[in-house]
Amino acid sequence: MSLSGFHSINTKTYTVSRLNKEIRAILEQGFASIHLSGEISNFVAPASGHWYFSLKDDKAQIKAAMWRGNNRYCQYKPTNGAQVEVQARVSVYEPRGDYQLIVEKMEPAGEGLLKQQFDALKMQLAAEGLFSSTHKKSLPNNINKVGVITSATGAAIKDILTVLKRRAPQLEVVIYPAQVQGKEAHLQLIEKLDLANQRKEVDVLIIGRGGGSLEDLWCFNEERLARAIFASELPVISAVGHEIDTTISDYVADLRAATPSAAAELVSPDQQALQQQIQQYKRALHTQILQLIKHAKQDCKGLEQRLQLQHPENQLLQQQQRVDEFSARLTRAFIQMQTKRSNTLALTRQRLSHQHPSKQLNDAQKQLQHLKDALNRGMQSSLDTQQNQLALYAARLNSVSPLNVLARGYSITKQQGKVIKSVSQVNHSQPLVTQLSDGEIHAQVIEVKPH
């Protein structure tokens, strides 16, 4: 295909920065707020105050950032290897085209996971209509017998009996003892709920316990118990916790009491009608408020998303992340440069030590000593050679020396300092000197006899 044909088909050409910006807008709108669990790794907290890390499980990981405006409210200091629950939105770091999480809230995994499961089940059952006021049963106008499903030795049963004795001592109370905490507690609660419905010996049921942590109250958040309460033919009052504790049983029950004592007051004859009416109004008002809050949150979220796309702070945070990245790169480059300079300096020092005058002087002294030794050896050798030659010449000279001849018994006779070789050279009565090997003899010529 020709290039002109390519442009005729692809009429819209993106730049890389534009593509990343539009992808970012799509991700931030599509994943405005999500809950995520995972393990922290590669955690970095630079001087800017922002946190950068990765969230991973056994199969994948994703980069994440938590701006200092959010992490300053975090009561939990993350560490590598820690399991956490986060609330975040999905975004894109445009300069590199990396998609990442912008974390808004963080807490350690555990109770946070239970809270997530609680919210998921709550949404599921609400969607199925188990919380709808249309399914709520009203309390009987005349209550003569009250059933209580709770621990037989807990504080809840004592509070209920104390209130009923004070307000309506004529009421009969049937206790259905069951565990209210632990892994199997919800099964006992379901069993006693079914037993009360089979016997039909009471007019209303109170199910509950005192307050506690989310984990302590978890049996009242089990789906099977919620469906058993919803299916109960007897009206059920949920009385779990102390005021602020809310469970799934509270939402699905026909009536919710903040405490076990409040549940006893609701079934008391002098407060029954008023409390029932108040609870109905409260449920209706609560439902309307939740709807208004839900719509308001949706509108606010939409406006917030639009604002975030246009807000300078978002661009500033992106630039800050870039600054942090460049800062880290600059630090690494500086360390590398320092290391290189240190190595160069060490090499220079090593080379300089080899060229130092003291080393050169030491080498020269060694060389001079070597030359001296060589000169001495040469002079000694030359002297030995000369001495040998001198001895040889002396031997030769000695072999031809007249003295050597004299030593063999010969003598030399001289007259007036001249060696006499013939008798013709001798004059009568002249003095003669005869030289022997060990001295001289002075004589006078008496007679000359030629041969």
Side-chain angles (χ1 to χ4, degrees):
M1 179 181 291
S2 66
L3 187 61
S4 59
F6 175 83
H7 281 291
S8 64
I9 295 175
N10 298 275
T11 57
K12 186 176 182 181
T13 302
Y14 282 88
T15 62
V16 175
S17 58
R18 178 183 173 187
L19 177 61
N20 286 345
K21 186 173 183 179
E22 293 195 12
I23 291 175
R24 176 184 164 202
I26 293 172
L27 287 177
E28 291 186 348
Q29 291 175 2
F31 297 91
S33 182
I34 61 172
H35 289 82
L36 194 68
S37 64
E39 177 185 334
I40 288 181
S41 64
N42 303 318
F43 179 81
V44 178
S48 63
H50 306 314
W51 291 350
Y52 305 103
F53 53 94
S54 296
L55 277 181
K56 67 177 184 177
D57 55 22
D58 57 344
K59 296 182 180 178
Q61 66 177 0
I62 183 174
K63 292 182 178 179
M66 191 172 187
W67 311 131
R68 63 182 177 186
N70 290 324
N71 64 39
R72 71 175 60 178
Y73 300 108
C74 184
Q75 301 298 320
Y76 172 71
K77 180 62 184 244
T79 57
N80 289 327
Q83 293 287 338
V84 295
E85 304 283 339
V86 300
Q87 178 181 329
R89 55 187 175 86
V90 181
S91 183
V92 172
Y93 179 47
E94 295 180 19
R96 286 202 307 265
D98 293 337
Y99 90 98
Q100 62 182 1
L101 293 176
I102 304 301
V103 178
E104 298 169 346
K105 295 180 181 179
M106 179 188 296
E107 60 184 8
E111 187 163 310
L113 181 59
L114 291 179
K115 182 66 168 58
Q116 184 176 347
Q117 294 174 356
F118 173 90
D119 292 338
L121 181 60
K122 179 181 173 183
M123 292 179 60
Q124 174 189 341
L125 297 182
E128 294 179 18
L130 269 68
F131 304 162
S132 175
S133 59
T134 58
H135 299 297
K136 306 294 184 183
K137 294 180 284 294
S138 301
L139 298 183
N141 292 327
N142 297 313
I143 298 177
N144 298 311
K145 210 170 188 179
V146 178
V148 181
I149 304 176
T150 188
S151 171
T153 59
I157 189 62
K158 295 177 182 178
D159 293 342
I160 291 172
L161 294 176
T162 299
V163 173
L164 292 180
K165 183 177 180 180
R166 174 173 52 85
R167 293 175 57 85
Q170 77 280 3
L171 285 180
E172 292 183 48
V173 179
V174 178
I175 300 175
Y176 301 93
Q179 290 184 11
V180 291
Q181 183 174 333
K183 188 174 182 181
E184 304 297 329
H186 70 287
L187 299 178
Q188 289 195 21
L189 294 172
I190 294 171
E191 178 183 354
K192 296 306 169 68
L193 188 62
D194 292 340
L195 179 62
N197 276 277
Q198 291 172 9
R199 291 182 178 178
K200 291 186 173 51
E201 57 188 347
V202 296
D203 301 312
V204 64
L205 284 171
I206 298 175
I207 182 171
R209 57 157 285 167
S213 66
L214 182 60
E215 187 175 5
D216 293 338
L217 305 179
W218 192 251
C219 61
F220 293 93
N221 293 321
E222 293 288 348
E223 180 179 358
R224 291 180 60 184
L225 179 59
R227 296 190 182 280
I229 293 174
F230 181 80
S232 174
E233 295 178 5
L234 295 171
V236 178
I237 300 175
S238 178
V240 180
H242 295 298
E243 299 290 345
I244 60 174
D245 299 323
T246 305
T247 64
I248 298 296
S249 297
D250 294 330
Y251 290 105
V252 75
D254 300 299
L255 202 60
R256 188 245 173 176
T259 64
S261 297
E265 291 179 357
L266 288 175
V267 299
S268 302
D270 57 341
Q271 294 291 326
Q272 177 183 343
L274 180 60
Q275 290 289 352
Q276 181 178 0
Q277 188 176 15
I278 290 174
Q279 289 299 324
Q280 289 176 350
Y281 290 153
K282 184 178 179 180
R283 285 197 298 269
L285 181 61
H286 183 70
T287 301
Q288 292 180 4
I289 291 175
L290 287 179
Q291 291 296 328
L292 290 174
I293 292 174
K294 180 179 179 181
H295 293 313
K297 283 184 176 180
Q298 290 176 349
D299 294 340
C300 182
K301 206 64 174 179
L303 294 174
E304 183 181 359
Q305 290 174 0
R306 292 174 58 189
L307 179 62
Q308 286 177 350
L309 292 176
Q310 304 296 329
H311 202 286
E313 182 182 6
N314 206 15
Q315 297 295 327
L316 182 61
L317 291 174
Q318 290 268 339
Q319 294 301 322
Q320 182 64 61
Q321 184 173 356
R322 235 180 140 182
V323 169
D324 290 336
E325 180 184 358
F326 289 152
S327 177
R329 290 171 58 186
L330 179 61
T331 300
R332 291 194 299 270
F334 180 76
I335 293 174
Q336 292 175 354
M337 181 180 69
Q338 288 295 98
T339 302
K340 183 177 180 180
R341 287 186 174 182
S342 297
N343 294 337
T344 302
L345 180 60
L347 181 60
T348 302
R349 285 178 176 175
Q350 185 179 3
R351 294 173 60 188
L352 183 61
S353 66
H354 291 312
Q355 302 297 327
H356 198 276
S358 62
K359 186 177 184 305
Q360 292 182 345
L361 180 60
N362 187 40
D363 293 341
Q365 289 176 342
K366 289 181 179 180
Q367 187 175 6
L368 178 60
Q369 185 63 40
H370 176 72
L371 293 175
K372 283 183 178 181
D373 294 341
L375 179 60
N376 289 335
R377 288 193 301 271
M379 291 177 63
Q380 186 64 40
S381 177
S382 177
L383 181 60
D384 292 341
T385 301
Q386 294 296 328
Q387 287 178 343
N388 292 335
Q389 288 182 351
L390 179 60
L392 179 61
Y393 293 155
R396 290 180 179 178
L397 181 61
N398 189 49
S399 63
V400 295
S401 174
L403 295 178
N404 199 24
V405 175
L406 293 177
R408 292 197 300 268
Y410 292 93
S411 64
I412 300 175
T413 301
K414 298 179 182 179
Q415 189 176 44
Q416 293 180 349
K418 295 181 179 179
V419 176
I420 297 174
K421 299 180 179 179
S422 173
V423 293
S424 61
Q425 294 179 266
V426 176
N427 295 319
H428 183 74
S429 298
Q430 288 185 348
L432 297 175
V433 177
T434 301
Q435 184 176 352
L436 302 175
S437 63
D438 56 351
E440 293 179 345
I441 298 174
H442 293 265
Q444 188 174 6
V445 179
I446 298 176
E447 182 180 3
V448 175
K449 291 180 178 182
H451 291 296

